[in-house]
Amino acid sequence: MANIVSPDEIRETFVLALSAMYQREIPQYATLLELVSEVNFALLESSPALHQKLANAGELACLNVEHHGAIHAGSAAELATLRRLFLVMGMHPVDYYDLALAGIPAHATAFRPLDERALARNPFRIVVSLLRPEFISDDPLRRRVRALVAARNIFSSRCRELLDICDAQQGLTAAQAEMFITEALAIFRWHRRAIVDAKTYEALLRVHYLMADAVCFPGCHIHHLTPRTLDIDRIQALMPEFGITPGAIIEGPPRRSVPILLRQTGFRAQAEHITFTCGREGHHIARYGKIEQRGMALTLKGRALYESLLLKAGVGQDNLGHQLRLGDVFLRFPDSEDALRREKLGYFRYQLTPAGEAYRHAIRPGVDPERYIARGWVIARPVKYEDFLPIRGPLNLHVAPGDELNPRSASQDVFEQALGAPLFSSFALYQEQEDKSKRRCGLL
């Protein structure tokens, strides 16, 4: 059909609507967005080189839109339908996160765009965790959980109908897309009325807060949203001045000349008023705001080094001490683009310079790109990391001698069966980006 709306446009519109809804639900999140915008603007204004770098990478247009969120699915059926829903927005499941390794009764993936153009248009990604009732030791409570999630229907009949229409006609028209966004938003809206009594809620809360959050409400409300900052250390320092209590530490790698992977912080979850089916009033504490700062994607070798250093550094009690310790330990991790590229620790996107275009005929496939970079024929820019931190290193990556990794597990097989589709590998996606750029330059 000629009037089909692109998945990128639907995703872009959905994210704007989701952000507006979350700001109304969590007013402190609106304050956080203002702070992030101010810090980003001030940094770009004072650093023309950074402004130009982001412009060259095509990242300025979507700097001030949310870059990720998170929700919890209660059952395999909900997860499978969420996969269909995100596919309408051009988002696919990438990587497996075994949250049980961190003591959380769930496992997860992240839905996001795959190709460079879609990421440049709107890079929004959302972590979807699937509840694992088998971690509840109390048999009656475990059966109660399974009955609760089986009985609820978080998707309206109109939403399901639009998913079928999208499958049949390979997309949605503008009018259908508008209805789809309205129906999709309803899935992630906060509901102050629980679907359980206070006793059940408290029993699930004793198991884990995620268990209560994923089971006790009529929808899978958005758990947090995350804008992107260019200076997360500045945000961490300024949050108290804006009436926001920051998290204890900035998670991820330390501040570096060449940022790697993902650094993130946020504010603590808000206490929200709820009413139980028994009529009793209470409070639920689960939803909060996060901020992220993204760096370059690391290769398997780079991730193995990152994981080993993170494990050595440990976790400090306060952010200042933690960052000092991280900075000291990570002196072993090269901090220049040239070194990262030569040691094959990160992924790069290669491009011919004007001189390279003139000498394209002299470029030979398979020759070390460093030769052409030294001649000024080729430039290499880091590939931006689009995914999430491992739970605690090394957890999602099982490092073996020779930097070989085996990211699969029996739990991942179970998750993929529930999802109804295989997961994409972020490593394969980054390698594909690098290889495509090399082919365009004649390097492969």
Side-chain angles (χ1 to χ4, degrees):
M1 294 177 65
N3 59 344
I4 290 293
V5 178
S6 75
D8 295 339
E9 184 176 339
I10 297 175
R11 180 175 68 259
E12 189 172 48
T13 306
F14 171 77
V15 173
L16 291 173
L18 184 64
S19 175
M21 183 182 79
Y22 200 59
Q23 289 178 63
R24 290 191 298 270
E25 294 179 349
I26 307 285
Q28 198 171 42
Y29 179 68
T31 304
L32 181 68
L33 288 181
E34 292 175 11
L35 171 58
V36 170
S37 181
E38 285 184 22
V39 169
N40 285 347
F41 179 79
L43 190 57
L44 289 173
E45 193 174 44
S46 65
S47 178
L50 177 61
H51 189 283
Q52 189 59 53
K53 182 178 180 180
L54 292 174
N56 291 341
E59 294 182 27
L60 280 179
C62 57
L63 179 61
N64 287 325
V65 299
E66 277 78 3
H67 278 58
H68 89 251
I71 58 172
H72 306 312
S75 67
E78 289 180 359
L79 178 68
T81 304
L82 285 168
R83 178 182 65 83
R84 295 181 65 202
L85 183 120
F86 290 122
L87 188 59
V88 175
M89 296 183 262
M91 300 164 71
H92 305 265
V94 178
D95 284 347
Y96 174 73
Y97 301 89
D98 191 351
L99 305 181
L101 295 169
I104 301 172
H107 43 184
T109 190
F111 290 86
R112 69 164 175 90
L114 299 183
D115 66 77
E116 296 174 56
R117 288 186 180 181
L119 287 164
R121 172 74 180 266
N122 182 281
F124 184 69
R125 59 206 46 97
I126 188 162
V127 176
V128 179
S129 58
L130 174 64
L131 190 70
R132 301 177 74 177
E134 63 268 24
F135 283 94
I136 302 175
S137 58
D138 183 285
D139 289 343
L141 184 60
R142 184 170 60 251
R143 290 195 297 270
R144 173 80 168 134
V145 163
R146 287 182 168 141
L148 282 166
V149 294
R152 74 178 182 181
N153 185 7
I154 67 174
F155 307 98
S156 69
S157 57
R158 183 56 176 153
C159 179
R160 292 180 183 277
E161 180 185 350
L162 286 166
L163 292 177
D164 291 339
I165 290 171
C166 185
D167 289 345
Q169 64 188 27
Q170 297 299 298
L172 298 174
T173 65
Q176 290 166 347
E178 185 176 353
M179 277 188 283
F180 169 80
I181 289 169
T182 299
E183 298 298 328
L185 278 178
I187 300 165
F188 307 127
R189 183 172 293 120
W190 169 248
H191 296 272
R192 65 178 298 272
R193 290 191 174 275
I195 60 171
V196 299
D197 57 24
K199 184 178 179 181
T200 301
Y201 173 84
E202 289 162 1
L204 291 173
L205 198 60
R206 284 192 293 271
V207 175
H208 196 277
Y209 89 89
L210 184 145
M211 194 69 70
D213 193 61
V215 173
C216 297
F217 300 91
C220 55
H221 46 260
I222 193 75
H223 192 254
H224 65 261
L225 282 179
T226 308
R228 177 188 175 192
T229 182
L230 299 173
D231 189 347
I232 200 166
D233 299 277
R234 182 69 175 152
I235 295 288
Q236 181 84 355
L238 286 176
M239 275 196 279
E241 295 182 22
F242 282 71
I244 302 172
T245 303
I249 63 169
I250 297 173
E251 302 171 72
R255 189 181 186 98
R256 294 164 43 88
S257 298
V258 182
I260 58 172
L261 298 179
L262 172 69
R263 303 180 75 205
Q264 58 187 17
T265 186
F267 63 76
R268 295 177 183 174
Q270 307 284 289
E272 299 181 81
H273 187 81
I274 56 174
T275 303
F276 299 105
T277 55
C278 59
R280 204 174 115 190
E281 305 289 312
H283 289 90
H284 182 62
I285 302 175
R287 304 200 305 156
Y288 55 96
K290 270 194 172 184
I291 313 99
E292 66 174 39
Q293 182 174 355
R294 290 190 173 268
M296 72 177 298
L298 300 181
T299 61
L300 296 177
K301 180 181 177 182
R303 279 287 290 274
L305 177 58
Y306 168 81
E307 290 293 339
S308 66
L309 295 179
L310 194 69
L311 190 64
K312 181 179 180 181
V315 180
Q317 296 299 312
D318 65 280
N319 188 55
L320 178 59
H322 180 63
Q323 296 305 320
L324 288 173
R325 171 66 175 164
L326 275 179
D328 181 55
V329 171
F330 270 78
L331 289 174
R332 287 186 51 204
F333 204 110
D335 197 12
S336 74
E337 291 184 10
D338 286 346
L340 289 165
R341 191 179 62 251
R342 290 194 181 101
E343 295 185 34
K344 301 189 185 317
L345 297 173
Y347 292 102
F348 286 83
R349 185 179 292 109
Y350 294 82
Q351 182 180 345
L352 292 179
T353 64
E357 291 286 1
Y359 286 95
R360 178 185 280 271
H361 63 280
I363 294 176
R364 296 289 178 264
V367 173
D368 188 348
E370 294 301 319
R371 178 184 301 182
Y372 301 119
I373 290 173
R375 292 178 183 176
W377 294 3
V378 172
I379 57 174
R381 294 192 179 98
V383 171
K384 182 160 67 75
Y385 186 61
E386 302 290 352
D387 299 284
F388 293 90
L389 292 174
I391 312 308
R392 274 291 297 279
L395 293 180
N396 290 323
L397 298 174
H398 306 292
V399 183
D403 296 324
E404 296 176 359
L405 294 97
N406 175 20
R408 290 198 67 84
S409 69
S411 296
Q412 179 172 340
D413 293 335
V414 170
F415 186 89
E416 288 181 332
Q417 288 172 11
L419 183 68
L423 299 171
F424 288 87
S425 162
S426 61
F427 291 108
L429 293 171
Y430 296 129
Q431 187 65 59
E432 183 181 359
Q433 281 191 51
E434 181 173 296
D435 290 347
K436 279 184 177 179
S437 72
K438 284 183 174 178
R439 281 192 288 270
R440 286 193 291 266
C441 296
L443 296 168
L444 276 184

